[in-house]
Amino acid sequence: MIALEQRSLFDKFLIFTTSVHSGTHEMTQDCKPDSITPIQYSILEIIAVSDPMTLSEISDCLRISLPNASREVRKLSERNLIVKKDDLHDKRKQYIQLSEDGAKLMKDTFQCIERKFQWRIEDMSQEELEKLEEAMNILQDRVFYNK
């Protein structure tokens, strides 16, 4: 009985994650700047929420090779959207952060996404909003956590 319930839960998880990808695409498609590639946007996005990051962390998070991550980071640096800072304790290590221009770009992008998100939740009751927040917390803590 438990195995069947877990299978049903997994099936719902697959549908949910597909919906997340679709919904994320829909909410970001008109918000992402045309001047950067999708992978460059993904790099800026993860730095914006996980600042600062190392090149290997970016590579791991986006599941791209280290050489590809390095090339895209170099392009973003050339466009003054990110900056690299040396680690004070380990000179071999560099941290990558948003520059002022990169931070402004991501702030504008996130404001656009937030407007679309607000539009999607505008008819929800306070109770539904609280349940939504609780569900997101559970998903973040128990399913989508970083190891």
Side-chain angles (χ1 to χ4, degrees):
M1 183 69 166
I2 298 246
L4 184 60
E5 289 173 5
Q6 288 178 343
R7 178 62 196 194
S8 175
L9 183 59
F10 180 71
D11 290 344
K12 288 180 181 182
F13 172 76
L14 289 177
I15 293 167
F16 171 75
T17 55
T18 300
S19 296
V20 167
H21 291 297
S22 176
T24 301
H25 174 73
E26 187 179 313
M27 283 199 287
T28 61
Q29 73 181 35
D30 297 332
C31 296
K32 292 189 270 186
D34 293 332
S35 59
I36 59 174
T37 66
I39 194 67
Q40 290 170 350
Y41 172 78
S42 294
I43 290 170
L44 293 175
E45 184 180 58
I46 63 167
I47 293 171
V49 299
S50 303
D51 180 58
M53 294 187 79
T54 64
L55 186 61
S56 61
E57 289 171 334
I58 292 169
S59 171
D60 288 345
C61 187
L62 295 178
R63 299 183 189 275
I64 59 174
S65 70
L66 209 49
N68 283 346
S70 181
R71 183 181 60 249
E72 297 304 328
V73 163
R74 180 182 41 79
K75 290 176 184 178
L76 290 168
S77 181
E78 289 170 356
R79 299 191 65 203
N80 297 315
L81 295 174
I82 60 163
V83 293
K84 296 178 184 177
K85 304 275 184 177
D86 291 330
D87 185 300
L88 298 176
H89 305 291
D90 183 351
K91 296 297 181 190
R92 298 168 297 171
K93 190 183 236 184
Q94 284 189 323
Y95 288 102
I96 301 164
Q97 299 174 284
L98 296 178
S99 66
E100 282 187 34
D101 289 347
K104 181 181 181 336
L105 179 87
M106 293 312 294
K107 179 182 176 199
D108 293 346
T109 302
F110 288 159
Q111 285 175 339
C112 176
I113 295 167
E114 182 181 10
R115 284 190 297 274
K116 291 182 177 188
F117 176 75
Q118 293 294 342
W119 178 80
R120 286 185 177 223
I121 65 169
E122 70 184 353
D123 293 333
M124 293 177 79
S125 69
Q126 185 62 36
E127 182 182 355
E128 288 175 315
L129 291 171
E130 289 169 5
K131 285 180 180 178
L132 177 62
E133 183 175 11
E134 182 180 356
M136 286 193 280
N137 287 336
I138 292 169
L139 286 166
Q140 181 67 38
D141 292 344
R142 305 293 292 183
V143 179
F144 294 110
Y145 60 89
N146 292 325
K147 291 183 179 185

